[in-house]
Structure formats: structure tokens, C-alpha cells
Amino acid sequence: MTQPMPSASPRATSPNYGLRRAVVAGGVVAVALGALYLGMVAFTSSDVPAGTTVFGVHIGGMSRDEAVTTLTKGSAKTAKSDLSATVAGKHLALDPVEAGLSLDADATVDSVAGRTWNPLTLITRVGSDQVVTPVAQVDAAKLAALTTSVAADVDDAAVEPRIVFSGTAPKVQAGRDGLRLDRTAAGNALIRAFLTRASVALPVLTTSPTVSTAQARDAVVAARLAVSAGIAVHAGSITATLTPQVIASALAYSGVSGTLVPTLDGAKLRAAIAPALTTVEVPGHDATWDVSSGSPVVVPSRVGRGVDPAELATAVAGVLGRTGSARSVTAPIGAIDPTLTTAQAQALGITEKMSSFTQHFPYAAYRKQNIGQAAKYINGKLLRPGDTFSMNDTIKERTPANGYTVGFVIGAGGIFKEDLGGGVSTATTTIWTAAFYAGLQRVHTQAHSIWISRYRAGLEATVAWGSFDMKFRNDTPHGVLITTVMRDTSLTVTMWGTKAYDKVTAVSGPRTDVRPFKTEYDTTSACHAQSGEPGFGIVVTRQFYRAGKLVRSEPIVTRYQPSPQVECRTDPTKPKPSASPPAPSPSVSAKPA
């Protein structure tokens, strides 16, 4: 007898049974995952996740406040260690404090502290160490100042093509590209160097001349015509001739809107025909001061009659492109009024010596020439009330045409190099110190990047053409006359006017944050050995007195980078003798008058 087959359970044969089992299993997994998730959240509930380090400082598992305190203390040395950078093939070690970069410990800890519900963040936190990139505080003004200082050594302006004369034969002197530090990108790179402690490359851009060599060649055609023959000058009853040689010496070309434009030096043209003008001219001069007695005495002005150099240059420029008898001009003879009359000079109230300062320096031929040339430009400079003195404007660009030669200057990383105008910072320091003791208003001064021992620390200044200047303002109601006396090993600058204060003194604070110098080795033929100097910070306070009472104080803060010791070597084991910049001499203090 056949037994009936057992019937299947309705639950087992239900089409939804498998789905229900999957749902139940999924629910179990979800509960397990949820428990794991909540466990991970609980595990990471500490303010700072375990295994967290910043700048090599372990702050994992700490409360927020503990982590901030630990990080601040533990990273202090790292945060102040030099930044490593390269620019234009040179290595730089830059002070992060001077760059305005510091660790923001609060923001850094806040970026990782506290409970998180983000599952991806939880996965990275549990069971793994975290090396956290810190958050930086940036003083934008200081960072910009440092990049400007670096740019002063890196920037090399494009040179425009020129037309130069060999006798009266013009030819093109080709221009060349220049380099310019990308200051914004360089600042960002230094921030990156601070955060990562890795060496960075500071980007440099190429700059091109505005005038092409082809355009300069076109201008040669006009230059040939300009000096093809002499030019007759009629002045009153006399006629004088400007020779082609004189015209060539006074003729220059400058780039304007992509073309070379000719300009004439009227003073040179007038000087060339001056002997012929003696019968029709009456010399005049401005009022000035005689200070030989130790007190300024006004020397009266005098109105003259003669040929004005600017008018002569304008007239001659108008006929440079002509030929034959058309190369002739008439130069009117008229009154030449002084730019400073006797009455104006007397009204300026220049009655006494305000201050005098002498800066000594070791003798070097380049120093004598460059400091002496700057002193010539400064001597006799008059500041009317409210005028601002600009060192760069006064002593002009440091070029051979302006009377300067090659000497030693401070280069990138505090290493001396040769460049035009080496030594003019001595003139800058001398005139600023005299202005300091005269009580004149400081507009902008920038100390050397490293300390040079012949200068008083914190009371010195330097300049760089096209990058930064030294400026002070005559904020007195009287005029200020500046005179210079140049010697082989010293420069004296004296300010004459009317004192606004009975006495001005300089009080130096202690040296702080002293940092040792490093030794660097140079295997190039251009090496110049130098001794090292520590870096430090210092505050010099200018104090102003009236009637024996202190009426005002002005602190001036300066930070010097360490100056590396440089040794010249052809190989790592054998030192190479090398000439070095003349050793700095001890500074000689000069008291204000």
C-alpha cells in the first residue's frame, strides 16, 4: 500500500519566505554594524584621536586643552627652525618668525579634536596613527616684507636695447631678459615650507625688454642723422657750434611704449658752448648756506641772464632730423631766476646744527668711490617743511653712468656677493642715524638682513634699488639742510635747521632669541670666505626730550638672521685660500650734537 507523501509546510513553500529570512539576517547584520559603529564612536570620543602627532609631537588621547598646551610647548623649537628654500640656483635658510609664520595650536587641535559621526573619518581614526598637517598663523605684512627682501637679491630687471656711440658712430647694444621673483607664489611656498618642513622652490618669472632689438636698429638710422653734422646756436650777438661729438655725448635713447625715444642733456650742450657765451651772459645762483663757522649763514642769491639749458635742449632736439642750413637754432637770452631766493632761504629758519653723525668703515677702493658718490648726491640737499627724503631718489640707481662701481653687498642667505653699489648702505646708515638724532620723522627704514659689527645693532639702514627705500620726513616747521664730509675711512652727515627737541637719545634693549650661525662650504671659483655672526632680535628706543623731560618714545624692532660662516674648498678635505670681504670693524659711536 502506497504511503502518502508528507505535505510541505505552507511557510516553506511561501514565495516570501526567502525574503523574510534575508530581511531577518540583514537586520542582524545591521544591528551588529550599528553596534560596531556606536562602539567606534565611543572609542573615538576622546577630544584628540589616539595616535595623533603634529610636528612630531604626540597629542593623541589628550583632552583639547591638554593637547593645545602640549603642542605649543613641544613644537616651539620646530616652529622656529629655519625654512629651507631654493631660488635661482641658490639655497636660502629663512627665519619663520621674520616671515610672520607661527603655529596656530588652537586651530590645529580643533581640526582633529572631538567626536565625529562621519563613518569614513571613523575608519581612518580607529587603529591608525595620524600625522596631522598643522594650521599656520600668517602675518601678511611680515611675509610680504620678507619676500620683498628676497626679491631685492633675486630680481634682475630686463635691460632695454640701447644706442651707444663710438665717437659719432651709433650702434645697437642688445638688451636682455630679466628675472623677477613671483612674490605672491613665493609667499605661498614659504607657508607650505613651514607646514610641511620640506624645502621649497621659490618661483621666478622671466621679464622681457619692452623694445625689441629690431626696433632699436630702426632708431639707429635716426641717430646717424642726428650726429651727421654740427648745429649752429645763435644767442644774442654770438654764434656757437655744437659739434657732432658734443651732440653724440649729450644724446641718449630710452624705451617709451616699445620704442626708443631720443633725449638730450641740456647741461652738456650748454657747457660745450659756455666759453662763447661769456660775453652775453651774467651768471646767477641760488641762495645757499655757509656752514664753515659751525653755524649756518645765508649766502644771498643772484638773478642771472643767459641761455637756459632746458630750452637749449628743446631747440636742438627739434632740428636733429634736419640737414644742411636747417641745422640751426636760436637760443634766447633771458633772466634766469634762482630757484631759492635770499628771502626764501632766510624764511626757512635754518639757524643751528640739529645733529651730526660719523660712521667709520674699513678702507676699500670700492667703498671710497660708492660711499663718496652717494655723499656727493646728498651734500647740500634741502628739505622744506613737510618734505620726505628718499635715499634711492637722492643717490640715484647704482650704475656706472651714475658714478658707481662693483663692491660687496649682502646676498641671499646672508652670504656676501659682488654687485654694483656695494657700500652705499654705509651712507644710508649714516644719514638715517643723523636724522634719528635730529628727531626727524621715520617713514621707512629697513635694517640689513644680518648684523654687521661696525654698525650699532638696530640703528642702521640699507636700501635696494627697485625693492625698498630709506625715507624720513622733515616734520618740523623749518627747513633742514643736509651736508656731508667724506674721508677715506669715514662719512659724516650733519643736519642743519632748528631743533624741535633739546635732546634725542637711543636706548638699546638686550639681544633676544639669539640663534647660532651655520658653516657653509663653497666650491665655486667665485667663493668669498666670511666669518659667521649669530642672529638675534633687538629693540632700540628713540627718546625725545624737551626741557629735560621725556616727552615721547619710539621703539624700533629689528630681527637679524644668522650670518653663515663660509669656507672656500675645492674638495671636502682641502680648504682653499680665498680673498674675503674686508673684515667688519667695530662701530664707532658718535653722539648727537
Side-chain angles (χ1 to χ4, degrees):
M1 182 175 176
T2 304
Q3 297 292 326
M5 295 291 294
S7 62
S9 167
R11 183 175 60 181
T13 58
S14 169
N16 293 325
Y17 176 70
L19 177 61
R20 284 197 297 271
R21 289 190 64 183
V23 169
V24 170
V28 172
V29 172
V31 170
L33 289 175
L36 176 61
Y37 173 71
L38 292 175
M40 292 171 67
V41 170
F43 181 79
T44 61
S45 63
S46 174
D47 281 4
V48 178
T52 300
T53 60
V54 181
F55 272 169
V57 179
H58 295 276
I59 58 174
M62 297 182 184
S63 69
R64 180 195 177 281
D65 291 344
E66 288 175 331
V68 169
T69 300
T70 301
L71 179 58
T72 301
K73 183 177 179 180
S75 66
K77 183 176 181 180
T78 301
K80 290 184 178 181
S81 62
D82 286 344
L83 308 177
S84 177
T86 57
V87 59
K90 299 176 182 178
H91 176 264
L92 305 179
L94 302 173
D95 181 4
V97 176
E98 186 179 358
L101 301 176
S102 58
L103 174 68
D104 190 334
D106 289 283
T108 301
V109 172
D110 287 343
S111 69
V112 294
R115 177 176 295 169
T116 180
W117 297 92
N118 186 320
L120 294 178
T121 304
L122 285 171
I123 292 171
T124 60
R125 283 192 180 185
V126 175
S128 63
D129 293 339
Q130 288 192 90
V131 178
V132 175
T133 301
V135 178
Q137 285 185 326
V138 181
D139 185 324
K142 284 187 175 181
L143 184 60
L146 181 66
T147 55
T148 296
S149 179
V150 173
D153 184 62
V154 173
D155 288 358
D156 184 16
V159 176
E160 300 288 347
R162 299 171 55 209
I163 295 178
V164 295
F165 288 89
S166 176
T168 58
K171 64 179 181 179
V172 175
Q173 187 176 80
R176 63 170 175 78
D177 290 340
L179 297 176
R180 179 174 61 84
L181 181 71
D182 186 336
R183 301 187 190 189
T184 299
N188 292 334
L190 291 177
I191 295 173
R192 189 165 64 252
F194 175 79
L195 295 175
T196 63
R197 313 314 296 177
S199 183
V200 295
L202 305 185
V204 175
L205 306 175
T206 299
T207 58
S208 301
T210 62
V211 179
S212 69
T213 301
Q215 289 169 319
R217 291 195 187 100
D218 292 340
V220 168
V221 177
R224 289 196 186 101
L225 182 57
V227 297
S228 61
I231 295 176
V233 179
H234 305 286
S237 60
I238 68 99
T239 297
T241 300
L242 293 169
T243 66
Q245 290 79 8
V246 168
I247 297 170
S249 70
L251 185 57
Y253 288 79
S254 57
V256 177
S257 301
T259 59
L260 285 178
V261 177
T263 57
L264 282 166
D265 186 331
K268 287 185 177 180
L269 297 177
R270 190 195 173 287
I273 62 173
L277 296 175
T278 55
T279 59
V280 294
E281 286 191 325
V282 177
H285 58 76
D286 289 346
T288 186
W289 288 264
D290 181 353
V291 298
S292 59
S293 66
S295 296
V297 178
V298 174
V299 178
S301 63
R302 185 169 69 180
V303 176
R305 284 186 61 79
V307 174
D308 181 82
E311 292 182 359
L312 176 61
T314 300
V316 171
V319 300
L320 289 178
R322 298 180 184 178
T323 59
S325 60
R327 292 176 70 85
S328 176
V329 298
T330 297
I333 295 176
I336 301 178
D337 294 325
T339 56
L340 182 68
T341 66
T342 304
Q344 290 171 332
Q346 292 170 338
L348 286 172
I350 297 175
T351 61
E352 63 182 334
K353 182 187 291 185
M354 300 175 71
S355 69
S356 187
F357 181 78
T358 299
Q359 177 64 56
H360 295 261
F361 50 84
Y363 175 80
Y366 79 86
R367 285 197 182 104
K368 182 179 179 181
Q369 179 170 335
N370 292 339
I371 300 171
Q373 184 62 61
K376 289 178 183 177
Y377 286 128
I378 295 167
N379 191 42
K381 180 75 174 180
L382 176 65
L383 300 179
R384 298 173 187 267
D387 282 356
T388 295
F389 176 90
S390 162
M391 189 67 175
N392 276 333
D393 289 349
T394 301
I395 68 172
K396 302 184 179 181
E397 185 175 1
R398 274 64 82 189
T399 64
N402 289 332
Y404 296 101
T405 189
V406 171
F408 284 104
V409 300
I410 298 173
I415 297 176
F416 284 91
K417 67 172 189 176
E418 290 185 297
D419 202 354
L420 280 165
V424 298
S425 290
T426 295
T428 307
T429 291
T430 311
I431 191 169
W432 161 238
T433 308
F436 177 101
Y437 284 122
L440 300 180
Q441 181 184 10
R442 175 177 177 250
V443 176
H444 178 78
T445 60
Q446 183 162 322
H448 290 84
S449 59
I450 62 174
W451 179 54
I452 301 173
S453 61
R454 65 175 169 270
Y455 301 136
R456 179 167 174 174
L459 187 54
E460 46 95 1
T462 185
V463 289
W465 184 263
S467 295
F468 55 86
D469 202 353
M470 186 277 288
K471 294 183 178 182
F472 59 86
R473 180 174 173 269
N474 175 16
D475 56 344
T476 76
H478 307 285
V480 173
L481 174 70
I482 307 172
T483 61
T484 64
V485 177
M486 178 68 186
R487 308 288 188 209
D488 283 354
T489 59
S490 70
L491 172 64
T492 299
V493 172
T494 303
M495 303 278 175
W496 308 87
T498 297
K499 292 181 179 180
Y501 302 94
D502 300 336
K503 182 174 66 171
V504 178
T505 64
V507 178
S508 296
R511 298 185 181 188
T512 59
D513 191 23
V514 178
R515 292 171 293 146
F517 62 84
K518 299 177 181 178
T519 299
E520 297 190 10
Y521 302 97
D522 188 340
T523 60
T524 69
S525 60
C527 174
H528 295 285
Q530 68 181 59
S531 58
E533 288 285 353
F536 58 91
I538 192 168
V539 178
V540 174
T541 303
R542 180 158 58 158
Q543 297 182 330
F544 303 79
Y545 290 86
R546 285 196 188 105
K549 294 183 178 180
L550 179 65
V551 295
R552 187 160 69 91
S553 293
E554 178 190 17
I556 300 174
V557 180
T558 302
R559 280 185 60 84
Y560 293 106
Q561 297 180 28
S563 170
Q565 176 174 308
V566 177
E567 296 185 10
C568 300
R569 296 190 177 186
T570 54
D571 62 60
T573 60
K574 184 178 179 181
K576 168 192 171 184
S578 174
S580 64
S585 65
S587 59
V588 178
S589 299
K591 296 181 179 179

